[in-house]
């Protein structure tokens, strides 16, 4: 057997075994070479420590060679808790888009929604993240107030 092909054949055997095992346990098998995007879902993944996020992203990059981007939910306070250099490092590990729920620009509405951050904190955090190279997706919930309060809401 050609020695240059041995690593590739071993990978094929490992992928085949992973597929057979995943079918046997009823799981969905996703070959690592097909994964280009991952979304880390939780209430606020960015709240994890920098070291933990760095470890997770490094492992994902190692496991999925064609990974292009990782996206996650982030609150303003958890973004602001990271230094600019930490954010730049996370961006270099293919963390791409941060989804932040601003919900409203009105402080009273934010308090009623039990948001942990002020609108100003979230704006500063989004600006910091963009300076570090992140794409921000910021959500505003239009139905949080009645017609009378809609002007200060946004």
């Amino acid at each position: 057997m050609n020695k240059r092909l041995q690593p590739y054949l071993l990978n094929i055997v490992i992928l085949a075994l992973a597929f057979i095992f995943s079918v046997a346990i009823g799981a969905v098998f996703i070959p690592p070479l097909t994964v280009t995007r991952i979304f880390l879902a939780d209430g606020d993944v960015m709240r994890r420590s920098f070291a933990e996020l760095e470890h997770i992203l490094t492992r994902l990059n190692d496991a999925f060679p064609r990974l292009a981007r990782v996206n996650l939910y982030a609150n303003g306070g958890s973004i602001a808790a990271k230094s600019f250099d930490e954010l730049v490092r996370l961006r270099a590990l293919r963390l791409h888009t941060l989804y932040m729920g601003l919900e409203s620009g009105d402080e009273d509405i934010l308090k009623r929604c039990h948001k942990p951050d002020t609108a100003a904190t979230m704006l500063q955090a989004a600006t910091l993240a963009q300076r570090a190279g992140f794409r921000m997706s910021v959500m505003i919930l239009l139905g949080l107030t009645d017609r009378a309060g809609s002007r200060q809401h946004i």
Side-chain angles (χ1 to χ4, degrees):
M1 176 184 297
N2 185 332
K3 289 196 183 256
R4 288 189 327 181
L5 292 179
Q6 282 179 344
Y8 299 107
L9 293 175
L10 180 60
N11 284 340
I12 291 169
V13 169
I14 290 170
L15 287 174
L17 289 172
F19 176 74
I20 291 166
F21 178 73
S22 67
V23 169
I25 65 169
V28 176
F29 176 73
I30 303 171
L33 294 178
T34 64
V35 175
T36 59
R37 295 179 183 183
I38 293 176
F39 187 87
L40 299 177
D42 197 357
D44 182 7
V45 178
M46 187 63 96
R47 179 130 347 254
R48 295 183 174 279
S49 71
F50 167 74
E52 190 174 5
L53 285 170
E54 183 180 41
H55 177 75
I56 290 167
L57 292 168
T58 300
R59 295 287 307 266
L60 289 174
N61 280 288
D62 291 344
F64 302 104
R66 293 192 181 161
L67 185 62
R69 65 173 68 166
V70 178
N71 305 320
L72 55 76
Y73 289 123
N75 285 337
S78 64
I79 296 169
K82 305 286 186 282
S83 72
F84 180 76
D85 290 339
E86 289 173 336
L87 291 172
V88 168
R89 171 70 179 140
L90 295 175
R91 180 64 189 98
L93 289 169
R94 298 192 184 117
L95 185 55
H96 185 269
T97 302
L98 307 180
Y99 291 85
M100 184 174 68
L102 173 62
E103 321 312 4
S104 176
D106 182 70
E107 297 303 331
D108 290 332
I109 293 172
L110 291 174
K111 287 177 189 170
R112 287 196 311 247
C113 293
H114 305 286
K115 292 295 287 185
D117 305 315
T118 65
T121 298
M122 289 186 269
L123 178 61
Q124 290 170 346
T127 302
L128 177 66
Q130 287 177 317
R131 278 190 28 237
F134 290 100
R135 177 184 290 171
M136 292 296 301
S137 179
V138 180
M139 279 80 60
I140 295 175
L141 300 177
L142 296 178
L144 283 179
T145 187
D146 58 11
R147 277 201 151 127
S150 63
R151 288 219 186 266
Q152 69 266 18
H153 172 49
I154 300 178

